Amino acid sequence: MNGHRALFALAACLLAVGLARDAWDGWVERTQLPPTLTETSAEMRDRNGTVMRVFGVEDGRIRLAVPQGGVDPTLTNMLIAYEDKRFRTHNGVDLRAMGRAVGQALWSGRVVSGGSTLTMQAARLLENSGTGSVRGKIRQMRVAWALERRLSKDDILHLYLQHAPYGGRIEGVRSASFVWFGKEPGRLSPAEAALLVALPQAPEARRPDRHGFVA
C-alpha cells in the first residue's frame, strides 16, 4: 500500500513539474520582444573612407553601427569574463549568479554583485528600462529567455555592444572607441579594451574626459 502511495505521489509530482514547465514555456513563447533593429548614426566620410562627421539619432545620441566581427576579440573575451562567465552556456538567465547575488545582498545588507547576464542587460538596453524593481527584473528575465530562443549568442552579444552606454549621449562600443580613442574598435590595446568593458557599469562616473585620460 505504501509503495502504491509513493508511486502515486511521484507521478503527481512529475505531472506538476511538467505542467509548470509547459506553462513557463508558453509564457516565454508569448513574449513580445522590443525591436532589435535600431537606427544608427549616418556617417560622413572623406575619399579615403575616414569618418569626418556623424549625425545623431533619437535624442541626439551617437550610435555608430557596429559591424559583425568588427570588435577586437580581446574586448569581447574580457567582457564575457568580467560580466557573464557562463554566457555561452546559459539560456539567458544565470540562476547560479542570481542566487549568489541575492545571498551576498542578504548577508551584507547591500548589493555586492549583480546577477544580470549579458542577455538580460541587452534586454534592458533595448527597452531602456531600469533595474530597481522586481517587476522590471522579471520582465528582463522574460525578454532574455525569449531572445535566447530567437537569436544566436553572437547576435545577442552584438546587441549589447551596439547599445551599451558610454557616457553622455555616446551609445555603443564603436561610438565610444571613436570618441575616446579615435579608432575603430577592431584594433584596441588591452588597456583600451578594459576601459570599454568597465565604462557601461558607471558611464558618467568613469568617463575618461572627467579624469584627464582624454586630451
Side-chain angles (χ1 to χ4, degrees), residues 64-67 69-76 161 172-178 181-189 192-193 196:
L64 295 178
V66 179
V71 178
D72 194 314
T74 300
L75 186 148
T76 54
L161 293 171
V173 69
R174 184 162 174 253
S175 304
S177 186
F178 266 114
F181 309 127
K183 64 171 75 171
E184 291 280 0
R187 51 190 187 90
L188 298 169
S189 70
E192 291 167 343
L196 293 185

Side-chain angles (χ1 to χ4, degrees), residues 124-206:
R124 174 176 58 81
L125 292 169
L126 287 174
E127 295 194 321
N128 195 27
S129 60
T131 59
S133 70
V134 172
R135 183 177 181 181
K137 185 66 72 174
I138 292 174
R139 171 62 183 173
Q140 288 169 30
M141 292 168 67
R142 182 179 185 179
V143 173
W145 279 318
L147 284 172
E148 291 274 348
R149 293 186 178 193
R150 303 177 197 182
L151 300 176
S152 69
K153 288 288 187 179
D154 287 340
D155 287 338
I156 291 169
L157 187 60
H158 182 264
L159 282 177
Y160 175 86
L161 293 171
Q162 183 68 76
H163 292 275
Y166 283 94
R169 295 180 177 178
I170 306 168
E171 191 169 294
V173 69
R174 184 162 174 253
S175 304
S177 186
F178 266 114
V179 170
W180 302 132
F181 309 127
K183 64 171 75 171
E184 291 280 0
R187 51 190 187 90
L188 298 169
S189 70
E192 291 167 343
L195 179 59
L196 293 185
V197 166
L199 260 174
Q201 307 312 308
E204 294 304 322
R206 296 175 180 174

Side-chain angles (χ1 to χ4, degrees), residues 78-92:
M78 282 184 180
L79 176 65
I80 292 172
Y82 179 68
E83 285 287 342
D84 190 357
K85 293 180 178 65
R86 287 177 286 277
F87 173 69
R88 296 290 180 185
T89 57
H90 63 60
N91 67 347

Side-chain angles (χ1 to χ4, degrees), residues 1-14:
M1 192 68 173
N2 289 335
H4 286 94
R5 288 179 179 176
L7 287 174
F8 179 78
L10 177 60
C13 182
L14 292 174

Side-chain angles (χ1 to χ4, degrees), residues 1-145:
M1 192 68 173
N2 289 335
H4 286 94
R5 288 179 179 176
L7 287 174
F8 179 78
L10 177 60
C13 182
L14 292 174
L15 177 61
V17 170
L19 291 173
R21 171 73 187 193
D22 290 344
W24 173 81
D25 192 67
W27 179 66
V28 173
E29 282 296 323
R30 293 191 299 272
T31 304
Q32 292 187 349
L33 290 178
T36 56
L37 295 177
T38 51
E39 183 184 10
T40 55
S41 298
E43 304 175 27
M44 182 181 293
R45 298 172 178 267
D46 64 15
R47 66 181 65 185
N48 298 315
T50 303
V51 176
M52 302 296 293
R53 182 181 177 185
V54 298
F55 299 88
V57 291
E58 69 267 19
D59 301 324
R61 298 178 189 178
I62 301 301
R63 186 193 297 139
L64 295 178
V66 179
Q68 290 281 8
V71 178
D72 194 314
T74 300
L75 186 148
T76 54
N77 291 337
M78 282 184 180
L79 176 65
I80 292 172
Y82 179 68
E83 285 287 342
D84 190 357
K85 293 180 178 65
R86 287 177 286 277
F87 173 69
R88 296 290 180 185
T89 57
H90 63 60
N91 67 347
V93 177
D94 188 343
L95 296 179
R96 287 171 57 186
M98 192 165 289
R100 182 199 66 237
V102 171
Q104 290 175 337
L106 291 174
W107 178 263
S108 64
R110 61 185 178 86
V111 176
V112 176
S113 64
S116 293
T117 63
L118 285 171
T119 313
M120 290 174 64
Q121 292 181 53
R124 174 176 58 81
L125 292 169
L126 287 174
E127 295 194 321
N128 195 27
S129 60
T131 59
S133 70
V134 172
R135 183 177 181 181
K137 185 66 72 174
I138 292 174
R139 171 62 183 173
Q140 288 169 30
M141 292 168 67
R142 182 179 185 179
V143 173
W145 279 318

